[in-house]
Structures are given as C-alpha cells and as structure tokens.
Amino acid sequence: MNRKHLLTALSLLMAGGVAWGQKAWTLQECLDYALVHNIQLRKSRITAASAHEDVLQSQSALFPSVSFSTNQNVSWRPFAESTINLTNGSMTTNRSSVSYNGSYGINANWTVWNGNRNTNNVKQNKLSEQLAKLDVAQQANTIQEQIAQLYVQVLYETEAVKVCEEIIKASELQRDRAKVMVEVGSLARVDLVQLEAQVNQDKYSLSQAEAQLANYKLQLKQLLEIHNEEAFEVAIPNIADERILGIVPDEQSVYNAALANRPEIQASILNIESSEIAVASARAGYMPTVSINAGIGSSNSSGQDLAFGTQIKNNLSNSIGLTLSVPIFDNMQARTNIRKAKYALHTSALNLQDQQKQLYSTIENYWLNATTSQQQYIYALANEKSMQESYDLVSEQFNLGLKNIVELTTGKNNLLQAEQQLLQSKYMALLNYALLNFYAGEKINL
C-alpha cells in the first residue's frame, strides 16, 4: 500500500470515527438500549430469577428429606483407674483413662399430606414467578413511555431552537435595515434602540430554548443509563402531515386490547388467583398432618476387642414411624388466617377494578389529547401561514416607513407564538397517537 492509499484509508477511518461519535439516536435505538441497560429493569429481572428458585425449592418440598449425622466423642479421665463403657446394654471395663465412641445415622422424613399446603405453596410460588415477570414487563412499558415522551420533548425543543434562530436572523436583519434608515434620517434612533433590545430579547429566548433542550437530553441519557460526557443527539424523523392527521384509534377498541395484553391487568388477575390459593392454604389449618420418618444407625466405641466394622454391623439399628397430627384447638389461628386470606382476596378483586379504571382513564386521556391536538394542528397550520404573511407584509411596510416599531414587534411575536403552537400541537398529536397504538399492543413508533 503506497502513501496515498494509506492516507486515504486513515481519512476514512477518522471520518467513520467522527460519524460514530456524532451518532444520532433513533427512538427505536433508545428503546432497545434502555430495555437492556436500565438498572431498574435489570434488578427486576434478578428478582424474577430469584422467584424461580423459590418455585424449585417448593417443588423439592414435595419429596422426602434425607440427612446424615455422626457424633464423635473422646473422654479423658486422668485420675480414674478404669473406664466403664456401655455398649448394647452390656458394661465393659477399660483400663485406659481415654475412651472413644462414635455414632452414625441416616434419617429420612416425608410429609405425606398436610392439607395440600405444600402443593398450594408450589402453585403460589409459580404465580409469584409470573408476577415477577409481569413486573419486569410493566417496568419496561413504563420506561418505554417515559423515553417516548422525553424523545418527543427533545424533538419539540430542537425545532423550537431552530425557530428562535430564524427569529433572531429576522430581528438582526430588521435592525441592520433600521441602522441604514437612521443614517438617512428616515427612522428615529429610539426605534433602532428598541430593535436592538428586541434582538437581545430573542437571543435570551434562544438560550432558554437551548437550556430546555439540554435538560431533556440529559434526562433521556439518564434513563438510558448513559453517563459519559459525549454529546448526545437524537435523529430527527421526517414526519408527514398524514402521520399526524392519521385516524385516531377508537378508545374502546384500544381499551379492550389493553385488557388482554397490559401486564398490570394480568398481574391483578394473577393476584386474585394467588389470594384464592391462600384461602385454601389457610383452610388446611383445620386438617391433620401425616408424615413418615425412617432411620438407620450404628455406633462404635473403644475398649472392645471387636473391630470397627464388626461393631458397626453388630450395633446396626433401623427404625420407621408414622406421625399423625390432628389440630384440636389452636387459639383461633386457623380461623383468623382464613378470614384474613378472604379479606386479601376481596382487596385483590378491588385492585383489579382499580387497575381497569386507571387503564381506561389513561387511554381516554391519550385519546382526548390526540384528537384535540389534531384539530389544533389543523388550525395552527392555517394560523401560522396567516401570521407569516402578516409579518412579511408588516416587515415590508416597516422598511417603507409605513409601519412603526410597535406594529413590527407585535407581528413578529404573533408569528413566534403561532410557530410554537404549531410545534406543540404537532408533537402532542404524534405522541398521543403513538401511545394509543402502544396500549393497543403495537410498538411505539413515531
């Protein structure tokens, strides 16, 4: 590779590095990044994984438990002439002052039936795992809504900054023309001073818009868990009027779809099911418990002529037993637990109704904002066009000396207000339209 080709390659690499450093984030890229890196979501996923371990543990409780135990003892009696050991009911004498004995056992226990408490515990833990996963989905939805709202705010403020910049250009042009008019004596110097003040006021408005834009970008970066000092830019989509003025989905159809797919509704339904299982588990307090236990053990000791293996064989013992526990009087614990479980069931049912009401209210609010913003956008388009024509006319007449500075400033302020109303209605309609579709089960898309 010659020097010329090497320089060309390096230039391309540097250009690629600059382009990557100045990457403009699309809404979908923001959403995908946040769903992977957001700390709250990651913590929720860990909670869901922990809930799965509870399921496995409760399932294991359905099987017998087996344990091994051993006990090793050494005794030292320095002033005794002999040591007496008791082995299988017979006494042996050991002349040594140090004696040793050990025991070994394997024990098993199995709860055969306890009013289906163990089975219900498995069911409840499975529901808890599902609830943990739904909590992850609910947090993901909340984060996506927040990102969409901040993203739209960034888009709005970006265009607001451009509007302020265009207003400053127009103000500076009027000021420069006024300077010429003052020099030729066709305009009073006081009018020039007012125009200069207006330029400074427009620059102040620009600084406010830029500060607001930087604030929304910062909030969006924090939500994405991006904490470096690199510049953060968003991609400005090309939004056609047809997109803004599209047919708004019917609020009832969106609500019906949301009832089937929104995780908060599914979680409320699962909470009712879990409360029903809790009532059944509480009723088990009135029922008997049956368990089986079995064991095998042996021992050895010092002071005997028998070998270790022979002692273990001779001392081997086995046991098996059945335990039946019948509650007779438990100080009203079972009765209290049942009533409290029923109260929790009623509360879960009310929580479902409350979630459904909140869901409908949210969808209704988005629908109302979307339809209202669409109408406002139509009026704002016509108003902005009228204000632009009016300002152009007043500006031309001012240059001819037919309009005064007050009329010029009024016309410019009216144009600025019209442009801001247009931007606000545009992005409000776009955001609420996208959120309605999101609640209907679609992806957020601007």
Side-chain angles (χ1 to χ4, degrees):
M1 181 181 290
N2 58 34
R3 180 182 176 86
K4 180 179 180 181
H5 290 165
L6 179 60
L7 291 175
T8 302
L10 289 174
S11 299
L12 291 174
L13 288 174
M14 292 177 64
V18 172
W20 178 254
Q22 295 175 350
K23 167 184 172 61
W25 291 69
T26 65
L27 175 59
Q28 189 59 50
E29 287 174 337
C30 290
L31 296 174
D32 294 339
Y33 189 90
L35 292 179
V36 175
H37 295 87
N38 184 267
I39 292 178
Q40 295 302 320
L41 270 178
R42 291 160 66 185
K43 290 169 64 176
S44 296
R45 292 190 182 103
I46 293 175
T47 301
S50 177
H52 179 67
E53 297 301 322
D54 291 335
V55 173
L56 298 179
Q57 190 278 325
S58 60
Q59 289 175 333
S60 298
L62 298 175
F63 300 95
S65 61
V66 181
S67 63
F68 168 78
S69 63
T70 181
N71 184 22
Q72 307 294 322
N73 293 309
V74 177
S75 300
W76 179 40
R77 304 178 67 183
F79 303 107
E81 295 183 357
S82 63
T83 302
I84 300 176
N85 294 326
L86 179 63
T87 304
N88 292 336
S90 61
M91 298 179 62
T92 60
T93 302
N94 184 6
R95 294 295 180 182
S96 173
S97 60
V98 178
S99 63
Y100 165 82
N101 61 76
S103 62
Y104 315 89
I106 298 177
N107 298 288
N109 186 64
W110 181 30
T111 300
V112 179
W113 193 74
N114 61 351
N116 286 330
R117 272 192 290 255
N118 286 347
T119 303
N120 288 331
N121 191 32
V122 172
K123 293 179 180 178
Q124 279 195 308
N125 284 335
K126 286 183 176 180
L127 290 176
S128 296
E129 181 184 11
Q130 296 180 48
L131 286 169
K133 292 179 179 179
L134 288 174
D135 183 62
V136 174
Q138 185 174 352
Q139 287 195 30
N141 285 346
T142 300
I143 289 174
Q144 290 183 83
E145 287 185 49
Q146 292 174 347
I147 289 176
Q149 291 168 352
L150 286 173
Y151 196 91
V152 168
Q153 287 289 352
V154 170
L155 294 180
Y156 168 76
E157 292 298 337
T158 299
E159 292 207 33
V161 167
K162 293 180 180 179
V163 169
C164 290
E165 290 173 344
E166 292 299 322
I167 289 295
I168 290 176
K169 290 179 182 180
S171 297
E172 290 177 339
L173 182 61
Q174 292 292 344
R175 178 201 60 192
D176 295 340
R177 289 177 179 175
K179 287 181 179 179
V180 176
M181 297 172 67
V182 169
E183 291 176 357
V184 299
S186 61
L187 184 68
R189 188 168 186 82
V190 64
D191 291 334
L192 176 60
V193 173
Q194 291 182 6
L195 284 174
E196 188 68 45
Q198 186 62 46
V199 171
N200 293 330
Q201 178 62 40
D202 293 338
K203 289 182 178 179
Y204 178 77
S205 299
L206 173 61
S207 66
Q208 285 185 314
E210 290 175 336
Q212 194 67 19
L213 174 60
N215 180 46
Y216 284 125
K217 284 183 178 180
L218 177 61
Q219 293 182 47
L220 186 55
K221 284 181 62 177
Q222 291 174 342
L223 201 57
L224 296 177
E225 304 296 345
I226 298 176
H227 303 291
N228 55 45
E229 297 181 356
E230 295 181 4
F232 181 81
E233 301 296 335
V234 303
I236 308 298
N238 185 18
I239 303 171
D241 288 347
E242 292 77 11
R243 175 68 176 170
I244 301 171
L245 300 177
I247 299 176
V248 179
D250 176 65
E251 57 183 320
Q252 188 61 46
S253 62
V254 173
Y255 176 69
N256 292 336
L259 287 177
N261 64 63
R262 292 295 294 185
E264 58 267 31
I265 300 300
Q266 297 176 23
S268 295
I269 294 174
L270 288 183
N271 275 323
I272 293 177
E273 187 177 346
S274 179
S275 297
E276 291 173 345
I277 295 175
V279 173
S281 297
R283 290 198 177 107
Y286 286 135
M287 301 178 186
T289 299
V290 180
S291 61
I292 296 176
N293 57 82
I296 180 172
S298 186
S299 63
N300 73 302
S301 63
S302 62
Q304 298 189 33
D305 296 332
L306 299 178
F308 174 80
T310 303
Q311 291 188 51
I312 293 297
K313 178 180 178 181
N314 293 341
N315 297 334
L316 185 67
S317 63
N318 303 306
S319 65
I320 186 171
L322 175 70
T323 301
L324 173 64
S325 177
V326 181
I328 297 176
F329 181 70
D330 63 351
N331 302 105
M332 297 180 64
Q333 290 184 8
R335 173 180 174 275
T336 301
N337 292 336
I338 291 173
R339 291 194 173 186
K340 293 177 70 174
K342 287 182 177 180
Y343 293 149
L345 175 59
H346 293 324
T347 301
S348 298
L350 292 175
N351 287 338
L352 174 59
Q353 295 180 24
D354 189 45
Q355 285 287 351
Q356 291 172 337
K357 182 184 71 175
Q358 292 181 17
L359 178 63
Y360 188 82
S361 176
T362 300
I363 292 175
E364 189 176 34
N365 186 56
Y366 286 148
W367 181 87
L368 181 61
N369 288 338
T371 53
T372 303
S373 297
Q374 279 188 343
Q375 294 298 321
Q376 291 176 343
Y377 180 72
I378 295 174
Y379 299 143
L381 274 175
N383 185 48
E384 191 269 343
K385 182 179 179 181
S386 299
M387 291 298 102
Q388 184 66 60
E389 293 176 352
S390 175
Y391 175 69
D392 292 341
L393 181 60
V394 172
S395 179
E396 182 179 354
Q397 292 176 337
F398 174 80
N399 294 333
L400 296 174
L402 302 177
K403 294 291 184 180
N404 58 36
I405 187 63
V406 175
E407 293 171 310
L408 178 65
T409 304
T410 301
K412 188 185 69 173
N413 291 338
N414 290 339
L415 175 60
L416 177 60
Q417 183 178 7
E419 290 178 334
Q420 290 175 339
Q421 290 174 346
L422 178 63
L423 289 178
Q424 185 176 12
S425 59
K426 171 185 176 180
Y427 285 110
M428 282 294 293
L430 189 65
L431 174 63
N432 287 280
Y433 180 81
L435 291 178
L436 276 176
N437 289 328
F438 180 59
Y439 272 73
E442 301 179 10
K443 290 185 176 181
I444 296 181
N445 184 19
L446 298 181

